[in-house]
Amino acid sequence: SIRMDLLHSNGVLIIQHLQRDYRAYQDLLNFMSHVGDPRNIFSIYFPLWFQLNQVVGTKMIWVAVIGDWFNLIFKWILFGHRPYWWVQETMIYPNQSSPCLEQFPITCETGPGSPSGHAMGSSCVWYVMVTAALSYTVRWKDKSAVTLHRLTWSFLWSIFWIIQISVCISRVFIATHFPHQVILGVFAGILVAEAFEHTPAIQTASLRMYIKTNLFLFIFALGFYLVLKLLDIDLLWSVPKAKKWCANPDWINIDTTPFAGLVRNLGALFGLGLGINSEMFITSCKGKNSCKKSFRILCIAASLATLQLYNFVKIPTHTEYLFYILSFCKSAAMPLTVVALVPYCVHSIMRTTEKKLN
């Protein structure tokens, strides 16, 4: 406990330093925190990569969902505090002179703080994207191509670490994580992504396998929660702390609670399984139009545009269980749209156009 308090107090000093000396970069740091938001995986990265390479797109969803599930379990095990409430409750500072940490609209996350979900989600997905991009250049054999591959390798991994460090700094800057929590998140994300580099079975998974995986993840998490609750251990201990010490009650969002993230990810995995095993996917993405660049470009553009419209769909939060059900449905609809609905519509339009021209 003493060592952890010392680690936390040193982290607070770093946060104060960032908030004092990097004030001019506040907007950029807040933007980088949004870049690391795991929800971007489903609305931006996945639509782009799935049409470019379905293997990479599928792996991306699996890595994001399993990574976030492990993040939830780790959070429940580690009981990590967040800086913005820890400084208010710790007894380490004399005479009640707790440091003043500025809060922002995205500070008041309600789940435990360790490891960082943003850092973990960002590192695992960018790891998948970088390794996928490098897999194209590693096949080059001639000497000039080998040199180009080495340069590309250095460039892409530099970009990877710049993004991860920026996301980590941004999460520390807004006082939602201690430095050790974001570092742990980055390396945990890399481990999850590397594990899926050696798991080819996900590419041929049936709808039954997707459903079984969803049920296992849900039952394990719920069972873990209920067992510890019977032992009088409240895994939702962080929610009242967030509500108590958040500077603005309007900044508290049910979407950041532990079960909200679990439901969102299970919905995305189910939607992917439903889409990949649908007739619409087989007809469009496995047909003759799937090899055409025009088909892929249209699918990417239409998918991105459609998913942005989903952001305008606001789920009511007055009833918690209704929120979880609707959140699951909305999350399932996003990959289903990318994988099946949009490609099928684009395929139908292109086929109709070709018939008219003939």
Side-chain angles (χ1 to χ4, degrees):
S1 178
I2 295 175
R3 289 182 179 179
M4 189 57 66
D5 282 342
L6 183 61
L7 189 63
H8 285 159
S9 62
N10 288 333
V12 168
L13 292 176
I14 294 173
I15 296 170
Q16 289 181 303
H17 168 69
L18 289 174
Q19 291 189 345
R20 181 182 66 248
D21 297 341
Y22 290 83
R23 172 67 56 195
Y25 303 101
Q26 175 181 330
D27 292 338
L28 176 61
L29 290 170
N30 285 336
F31 171 74
M32 289 309 301
S33 187
H34 285 295
V35 168
D37 193 330
R39 285 169 287 197
N40 290 333
I41 299 167
F42 308 117
S43 61
I44 299 176
Y45 305 141
F46 172 66
L48 285 170
W49 273 98
F50 187 80
Q51 299 304 334
L52 295 174
N53 188 316
Q54 292 173 9
V55 172
V56 177
T58 302
K59 185 193 298 181
M60 186 177 292
I61 292 292
W62 277 89
V63 166
V65 170
I66 301 300
D68 209 51
W69 183 82
F70 274 116
N71 182 262
L72 172 64
I73 301 301
F74 289 153
K75 283 180 185 292
W76 280 348
I77 293 173
L78 297 177
F79 284 81
H81 289 274
R82 293 185 185 270
Y84 75 92
W85 76 56
W86 181 83
V87 295
Q88 304 292 340
E89 297 190 343
T90 182
M91 303 301 293
I92 197 173
Y93 299 106
N95 303 321
Q96 305 297 320
S97 57
S98 59
C100 180
L101 299 182
E102 184 175 354
Q103 297 182 26
F104 303 86
I106 56 176
T107 295
C108 299
E109 301 257 350
T110 57
S114 186
S116 167
H118 280 65
M120 191 168 173
S122 175
S123 65
C124 70
V125 170
W126 277 92
Y127 188 92
V128 169
M129 291 192 287
V130 169
T131 53
L134 289 175
S135 67
Y136 289 103
T137 62
V138 75
R139 302 167 192 164
W140 299 341
K141 300 297 183 182
D142 57 274
K143 189 173 181 180
S144 60
V146 171
T147 303
L148 181 59
H149 169 71
R150 289 174 180 172
L151 290 173
T152 305
W153 188 94
S154 300
F155 173 75
L156 289 179
W157 283 118
S158 296
I159 293 296
F160 172 86
W161 284 111
I162 288 172
I163 290 174
Q164 303 322 310
I165 292 171
S166 299
V167 170
C168 289
I169 291 174
S170 71
R171 300 301 289 172
V172 174
F173 174 84
I174 63 174
T176 199
H177 283 296
F178 291 103
H180 70 277
Q181 295 173 344
V182 292
I183 293 171
L184 179 60
V186 168
F187 288 102
I190 292 174
L191 287 176
V192 171
E194 180 60 28
F196 274 87
E197 291 293 320
H198 311 284
T199 314
I202 60 174
Q203 301 300 333
T204 56
S206 63
L207 179 59
R208 179 176 294 183
M209 179 58 68
Y210 277 92
I211 293 174
K212 286 182 178 179
T213 303
N214 256 16
L215 287 175
F216 171 78
L217 297 178
F218 178 73
I219 291 172
F220 186 96
L222 182 61
F224 187 70
Y225 170 79
L226 292 176
V227 167
L228 289 185
K229 191 171 184 180
L230 289 174
L231 298 175
D232 204 27
I233 300 174
D234 182 16
L235 293 181
L236 300 181
W237 60 273
S238 60
V239 177
K241 289 183 181 293
K243 291 179 178 180
K244 180 179 181 181
W245 297 114
C246 185
N248 186 338
D250 294 335
W251 294 347
I252 296 289
N253 193 337
I254 190 176
D255 200 31
T256 65
T257 58
F259 277 111
L262 175 65
V263 169
R264 182 171 58 248
N265 287 304
L266 294 182
L269 188 63
F270 176 73
L272 175 65
L274 196 62
I276 284 180
N277 291 279
S278 68
E279 286 297 325
M280 287 188 291
F281 171 76
I282 295 171
T283 301
S284 55
C285 294
K286 295 296 184 180
K288 63 178 183 178
N289 283 329
S290 61
C291 298
K292 296 179 180 178
K293 289 184 180 180
S294 57
F295 173 79
R296 295 183 179 184
I297 292 172
L298 286 172
C299 286
I300 290 173
S303 296
L304 289 172
T306 305
L307 293 185
Q308 297 314 307
L309 294 176
Y310 283 6
N311 293 330
F312 294 100
V313 179
K314 301 300 180 184
I315 300 175
T317 58
H318 58 277
T319 305
E320 192 170 356
Y321 293 112
L322 178 62
F323 172 83
Y324 290 146
I325 293 171
L326 294 179
S327 180
F328 178 89
C329 295
K330 180 180 177 181
S331 298
M334 296 177 75
L336 182 62
T337 297
V338 174
V339 170
L341 296 178
V342 166
Y344 184 77
C345 291
V346 172
H347 169 76
S348 299
I349 293 170
M350 292 180 68
R351 186 176 59 181
T352 303
T353 304
E354 288 173 358
K355 287 182 178 180
K356 287 181 178 179
L357 292 175
N358 292 333

